[in-house]
Amino acid sequence: MMANCQKDVITDLFRRSKETGEPVKVCAPMVRYSSLPFRHLVKLYNCDLTFTHMMLADCFSKAQSARDADFQHCKADRPLIAQFAASDPEDFAAAAKLIAPYVDGVDLNCGCPQRWAIKEGIGACMCTNSDLISRIVRRCKEVNPHLTVSVKIRILDSLEETIKLAQAIEAAGAAFISVHGRTIKERNVTPHFDYVRAIKNNVSIPVIHNGGVYSPAELGPAVESTGADGVMCAQGLLNNPALFAGHKETPLQCVQDWVNIAISYGTTFVTFKHHLVFMLENVLPKHEKKIFNNLSTIPAVLEYLDNNFGIKYQNSLPT
């Protein structure tokens, strides 16, 4: 029964999106930042679906220590997709089986452009090997027949090859596909919305657009340009976790919520402060940023927030 419910959760998200005309709003997988506390925070502000950070399937499937370090969850942390990097079908299927009771789907990362990932034969370099991606998806579906499986890709230089890649992923049994509209070599450039639209026009499964949405005003145009069923944000949500709720910059209530969530979960100082640096980027003047950046303990940060914004730790989790 649990497995069927997992699939229905994701299916229902896209069904409701079609009925309402609103895109599925997704928090992207982000190394260091897609932790349980941040996932909790964005869900308070109209985020429909969150991803874990990219985990290594081979390590996750073989070591309890890796599982403990990589994955924290709670009952409220749903719907949730666990993302894995893998180049071996058995590793991906095994990791998916272990994590299946705690998530609503698993995703194969074929979008990470970092050099270490490329050297290991995982991430974005896999986009030129649709046969391997297909074998990984198929094997996962064989081992976990009721689990939602998706793939996140980057576009290739060739539009034709990009479309073929997406079609191969669909044929392998993926429930949806997330498309970062930039190539492996592209960074801070405008995404190729036309590539994402072409994929959407040539597959029947839902397509999530990723890239180039940093504010509420950019959300609608991205959907119109791509025809995508959903929009995935990374940096935009780091800077403003309330983006999907229509806020142009991080509201102070969101900062208050982060303080309560992060401390309640026992978040490390580094992660706690990093998120605040992102959230306060457009709030603090330059001279205040220097002061804030030099704070070195949680008590010091809390004193600063109290003195400047009246924000205190309230010893409760917001819902």
Side-chain angles (χ1 to χ4, degrees):
M1 182 65 69
M2 179 181 293
N4 287 331
C5 289
Q6 289 170 326
K7 188 173 183 179
D8 288 344
V9 167
I10 304 303
T11 301
D12 284 348
L13 275 180
F14 290 111
R15 178 184 55 78
R16 288 198 301 271
S17 172
K18 285 187 176 181
E19 292 175 351
T20 63
E22 288 289 322
V24 176
K25 301 174 182 68
V26 187
C27 181
M30 294 177 281
V31 175
R32 294 184 298 278
Y33 298 121
S34 295
S35 59
L36 172 60
F38 189 68
R39 299 195 302 264
H40 186 148
L41 179 67
V42 295
K43 283 194 171 88
L44 295 177
Y45 291 91
N46 290 4
C47 182
D48 300 311
L49 180 64
T50 55
F51 279 58
T52 68
H53 67 278
M54 181 185 76
M55 300 176 282
L56 300 178
D58 57 346
C59 297
F60 191 92
S61 62
K62 296 170 184 174
Q64 182 66 48
S65 58
R67 295 193 285 275
D68 291 339
D70 269 345
F71 183 63
Q72 292 79 42
H73 66 95
C74 67
K75 290 182 179 180
D77 188 28
R78 308 290 282 269
L80 174 66
I81 301 291
Q83 188 185 72
F84 292 104
S87 59
D88 181 273
E90 298 302 328
D91 286 340
F92 186 75
K97 187 173 183 178
L98 285 168
I99 209 168
Y102 313 105
V103 300
D104 301 285
V106 292
D107 185 79
L108 176 64
N109 183 307
C110 298
C112 179
Q114 296 185 42
R115 290 182 181 178
W116 72 266
I118 304 306
K119 186 177 179 180
E120 293 293 324
I122 57 177
C125 67
M126 292 175 61
C127 288
T128 58
N129 192 344
S130 60
D131 178 66
L132 174 58
I133 295 173
S134 297
R135 286 192 286 114
I136 292 174
V137 172
R138 287 196 182 100
R139 182 55 182 155
C140 187
K141 295 295 293 182
E142 289 171 357
V143 175
N144 310 278
H146 300 294
L147 183 63
T148 293
V149 180
S150 59
V151 181
K152 186 174 188 291
I153 66 169
R154 280 181 175 256
I155 63 171
L156 300 167
D157 291 328
S158 164
L159 176 57
E160 180 181 0
E161 292 303 313
T162 302
I163 292 172
K164 287 181 179 178
L165 171 62
Q167 290 174 330
I169 290 170
E170 177 182 23
F176 68 90
I177 183 170
S178 302
V179 183
H180 189 140
R182 300 183 178 100
T183 68
I184 191 173
K185 295 180 181 179
E186 293 177 327
R187 293 297 185 269
N188 298 319
V189 300
T190 301
H192 299 271
F193 295 114
D194 54 332
Y195 274 55
V196 182
R197 176 169 283 279
I199 291 173
K200 176 60 184 172
N201 290 340
N202 284 277
V203 298
S204 60
I205 56 175
V207 174
I208 294 175
H209 165 72
N210 176 215
V213 176
Y214 304 105
S215 70
E218 293 169 310
L219 187 62
V223 174
E224 293 174 8
S225 297
T226 62
D229 304 277
V231 174
M232 176 184 285
C233 293
Q235 189 64 52
L237 283 175
L238 283 179
N239 292 340
N240 178 11
L243 185 157
F244 287 146
H247 294 275
K248 295 181 180 179
E249 60 184 34
T250 307
L252 290 182
Q253 181 59 52
C254 185
V255 179
Q256 176 70 74
D257 290 335
W258 171 245
V259 168
N260 293 339
I261 290 170
I263 295 180
S264 294
Y265 279 122
T267 304
T268 65
F269 168 72
V270 171
T271 300
F272 174 64
K273 185 182 175 185
H274 276 185
H275 277 290
L276 287 170
V277 168
F278 285 125
M279 285 187 250
L280 297 173
E281 172 66 25
N282 296 320
V283 177
L284 294 178
K286 188 174 181 179
H287 68 280
E288 288 293 336
K289 288 179 183 176
K290 291 182 179 179
I291 296 173
F292 187 81
N293 289 342
N294 285 328
L295 301 176
S296 58
T297 66
I298 288 180
V301 171
L302 291 178
E303 181 180 8
Y304 180 92
L305 293 175
D306 185 13
N307 291 339
N308 288 272
F309 304 110
I311 293 174
K312 306 174 184 287
Y313 173 52
Q314 298 172 342
N315 196 25
S316 63
L317 281 172
T319 57

